[in-house]
Structure formats: C-alpha cells, structure tokens
Amino acid sequence: AGAGASADELVPDWSRAQGAPISGYGQPSPFESGVVRRARTKPPFPTAASTGTPHGALFGLITPSGLHFERHHGGVPAIDPDRHRLLVHGLVDNPLVFTMDELVRFPAVSRIHFLECSGNTQGWATPDPKWTVQDTHGLLSCSEWTGVKLSTLLDEVGVRPEATWVIAEGADAAGMTRSLPIGKALDDVIVAYAQNGERLRPEQGYPVRLFIPGYEGNMSVKWLRRLRLDDKPQQGREETSKYTDLMPDGRAREFTFLMEAKSVITSPSGGAAIGAPGFHEIRGVAWSGQGRIARVEVSVDGGASWRDAELAEPVLSKCLARFRLPWRWEGGPAALQSRATDETGYVQPSRDRLIAARGVNSYYHYNAIQTWSVAADGEVRNAA
Ligand code: CO
C-alpha cells in the first residue's frame, strides 16, 4: 500500500469469493476470446473454405487442436465412427475393409509433426501491409498424431510388386482424392485417429485421416474411406487442375509433394505494436519437410547482417522448431527476418531468389524469407 497499490490490487474480487465449479471439458479463459481461427477469404461456396492458426498469440510447438488450421473442399462431414469403414484394395493379395475398432487394435505410433497447406503464404503477390502472421503463415499447424502406420495396414493386405502408387479418398462431399508414391507410403505415413491425446476433431478428419509427414497438407486426406493400390497415379482433379505449380515458361510442375524449409518470426509480427524501446525477445518457428531444422538466423536490418537464434529443445524431424533471439530495440526503424537451414543443408531462399527460379505464376509452395518492417513508432507491418 505504501508503494501506491490500491486495496483492489492487493486483494482483488476473485480472491474474495468462491470460484466456478468443475466442468466436463475445459475451455480457454474468456479473456483469450480473441485468439481464434479466422476465415482467410470469403469463398463463393462457404463449405470450400479455410481458416488460419493465430501464430502471433501462441507459444511452444503444439498448436491447440481447436486452433489447428482448416481447409475443407466440401465442408466437414458428420461421420458416425461405428458406421465408418476404411477399404484397402486394388493391387493387393487380400483386400480388406476395416472398422474403427479394428484400426485402433493395431500397434500404434505417436509422432509430433507440422502440417502445412501448399497454399500457405501468398508471397508471390504484392505484399499487403495489413497482413498479420495469421494471414501470411496461418495454414500451418503442429500436433501430436497417433494412429497405425500405413505400412502395417499394407502388410496386412499384401501389396503386389507392380503396385507403385496409393490412391487415397476421403468420405467428404468433395470425395477429396490424392495419389501417393508407394515409397513414401511404406516409410513414415500414419493412418491417424487421434490428435494431441484425444480423438481427431471433426474438422481434422474424424474418425480417421491419412497423415503424411513433410508433404503438402491436402495429401493428408481427411475422413479417409479408401486406399487403392495402383501402378499409376489417379491424375485426379486435386493433382491436375489444382495443386500444380505454373512455371514462367507456361509448363506446370505436378506432384510437388515436399514442403521445403521455411521459417517466420511470430513475435513481433504484422499488426503488433512493440511499445517501449528496450529488451524484446524475437520469437518464431521454423520447419522442413525434409527433416530437422539445423539452424535459424535472424536479421533486424533487412538481411544486411545475421545472428544465430537459439533453437529450443526438442528439435524433431518434420516438426515445428521454436527459435528465440534476445533483441534490444533502440526505437528506430527495423526490418525483421528469419532464415532457416535444415539438416540436408537446404537454406530458405530470399523472395528475389525464389521468384527468379519460379516466376510469379505459381500459387503454391512459397517458402521465401518473410520481412516484418518496424516503424520508428513501433508499428509492425508486413513488408514481403
Ligand atoms: Co505441390
């Protein structure tokens, strides 16, 4: 009280009465009601839409399940798990239909991996200074996924030697379908039924989805109902008219599965105000579809000079890595950037280098260095 504290500050009202009773399923504090997924665009069909993860308000590696980004091609189906079936057929010795109970009986694995939509970060266009990190990098999330390895199910049905592709089909109204090479299918792919310790959320594929570590998000087909072994890819809608990359010479890259190394500073980031000069920890995330992040460098002068950021443990393969760097903001303008290097030696490109290689016709696979400009008054804006 001698230091000027009021009676209410010393013993606030919530300390003078009993609190709320227990609840069946916990919810965030009402004071955090602004930390939500926001629709990214106003689409012509409201069921073919996406929302972004609010990275500027999050900490650590795991995205809360309720804030994992969404991308639906035909809305979220309401699937009864007791009636849902997974058919595995095609070039196999013993085609099988699995119930959910049967899938859960198989030996399980749990892995922490990022998932990124190949349409994340529309940096090809002129930068919109109003964009926040949710707008630029929101189609990226990270969860612990639990399920049965796809290789276990393929072993059960007996894959014939001539089978080179797995065609995965969803049970949603869009019949979302993608083709996956057999080598990846037998490597680290999970048929996942749980996320962050509980059954999948409906918008993440309840009751079962494919999860393909390091590959573009749409291939991790949600509401998985069918896997067909074939000797060629499907050439379906989502791999011919969509999810291809139009190059400067007019040809299109098809089957560009891998999400290459990328990083972004999440704090401070677009839409924030730094406030007073002095100490501010620069924080962000880095990830690579090829393995572990080996290094993240941070620049506060638009790439003129770089310092190594600290990588927080654990640093896992095909998973978000959290980086931090102490920074003293002196109050003048700054340009904040981060640059990731993965364990293969791949270095995240500058915007100029990426556009020189790929042109500006593309929509997908933009992984260039992100720039946040800091004005003299501390306002932070998207600069590229
Ligand atoms: Co692609």
Side-chain angles (χ1 to χ4, degrees):
S6 69
D8 183 62
E9 283 174 311
L10 290 171
V11 188
D13 48 358
W14 50 79
S15 299
R16 300 174 199 231
Q18 297 293 313
I22 53 175
S23 59
Y25 198 104
Q27 300 294 324
S29 163
F31 293 97
E32 301 299 322
S33 63
V35 182
V36 291
R37 300 185 290 216
R38 280 203 311 273
R40 294 175 58 80
T41 50
K42 204 164 207 164
F45 304 101
T47 55
S50 64
T51 57
T53 293
H55 287 289
L58 300 185
F59 304 87
L61 299 187
I62 301 291
T63 307
S65 298
L67 295 176
H68 192 291
F69 82 85
E70 301 170 280
R71 172 74 176 102
H72 315 309
H73 294 75
V76 180
I79 297 179
D80 176 349
D82 293 336
R83 290 168 53 206
H84 186 73
R85 299 289 181 270
L86 172 61
L87 166 64
V88 187
H89 70 146
L91 296 174
V92 300
D93 294 330
N94 180 33
L96 288 172
V97 176
F98 298 102
T99 66
M100 284 310 301
D101 287 345
E102 287 165 348
L103 289 175
V104 174
R105 278 185 64 200
F106 279 97
V109 293
S110 295
R111 303 269 189 270
I112 304 175
H113 290 300
F114 77 84
L115 188 72
E116 184 184 18
C117 176
S118 47
N120 194 30
T121 317
Q122 285 308 304
W124 307 106
T126 307
D128 184 332
K130 293 190 301 298
W131 276 359
T132 68
V133 68
Q134 183 173 11
D135 299 317
T136 60
H137 291 76
L139 295 178
L140 163 79
S141 304
C142 188
S143 289
E144 184 200 60
W145 303 95
T146 297
V148 51
K149 288 193 75 177
L150 177 55
S151 60
T152 304
L153 297 183
L154 294 181
D155 195 39
E156 197 75 5
V157 297
V159 176
R160 295 201 186 141
E162 62 270 32
T164 48
W165 290 80
V166 180
I167 321 298
E169 179 186 76
D172 57 331
M176 174 69 193
T177 303
R178 285 298 313 255
S179 310
L180 175 69
I182 191 74
K184 180 68 171 176
L186 292 171
D187 181 15
D188 56 358
V189 177
I190 303 169
V191 174
Y193 43 77
Q195 175 188 11
N196 298 332
E198 60 184 357
R199 295 293 182 133
L200 298 175
R201 297 289 172 96
E203 67 269 32
Q204 296 308 327
Y206 183 88
V208 64
R209 74 177 302 166
L210 208 53
F211 192 89
I212 307 176
Y215 278 22
E216 56 186 8
N218 68 82
M219 297 181 68
S220 287
V221 172
K222 297 189 283 191
W223 314 294
L224 184 68
R225 70 180 294 268
R226 190 153 74 108
L227 296 166
R228 192 183 83 242
L229 281 291
D230 207 332
D231 60 2
K232 55 190 175 306
Q234 165 115 338
Q235 302 287 2
R237 175 185 181 273
E238 310 300 344
E239 49 204 26
T240 53
S241 87
K242 297 291 180 189
Y243 300 115
T244 59
D245 311 314
L246 188 57
M247 300 296 283
D249 65 1
R251 292 182 303 160
R253 304 194 310 172
E254 192 185 28
F255 302 131
T256 48
F257 303 137
L258 192 69
M259 301 308 291
E260 293 179 303
K262 190 165 167 180
S263 67
V264 65
I265 293 169
T266 55
S267 176
S269 59
I274 293 188
F279 175 77
H280 296 274
E281 188 172 66
I282 293 174
R283 300 168 177 166
V285 288
W287 62 100
S288 168
Q290 299 202 81
R292 285 177 183 76
I293 289 295
R295 182 185 195 190
V296 177
E297 300 155 279
V298 168
S299 176
V300 298
D301 52 18
S305 64
W306 296 89
R307 286 165 64 199
D308 277 311
E310 180 198 341
L311 289 177
E313 294 293 333
V315 179
L316 303 172
S317 182
K318 304 165 193 172
C319 180
L320 290 194
R322 174 66 62 172
F323 66 84
R324 302 184 174 105
L325 183 78
W327 178 46
R328 179 165 290 279
W329 181 52
E330 304 294 353
L336 309 183
Q337 298 182 333
S338 62
R339 178 168 69 190
T341 303
D342 71 21
E343 64 180 337
T344 72
Y346 177 95
V347 181
Q348 183 183 6
S350 68
R351 186 168 188 268
D352 288 349
R353 233 187 83 212
L354 183 67
I355 287 175
R358 303 254 303 278
V360 292
N361 293 333
S362 281
Y363 187 86
Y364 303 107
H365 296 288
Y366 182 94
N367 70 325
I369 291 168
Q370 166 72 28
T371 306
W372 302 117
S373 72
V374 180
D377 64 0
E379 294 284 330
V380 186
R381 291 183 187 86
N382 178 33

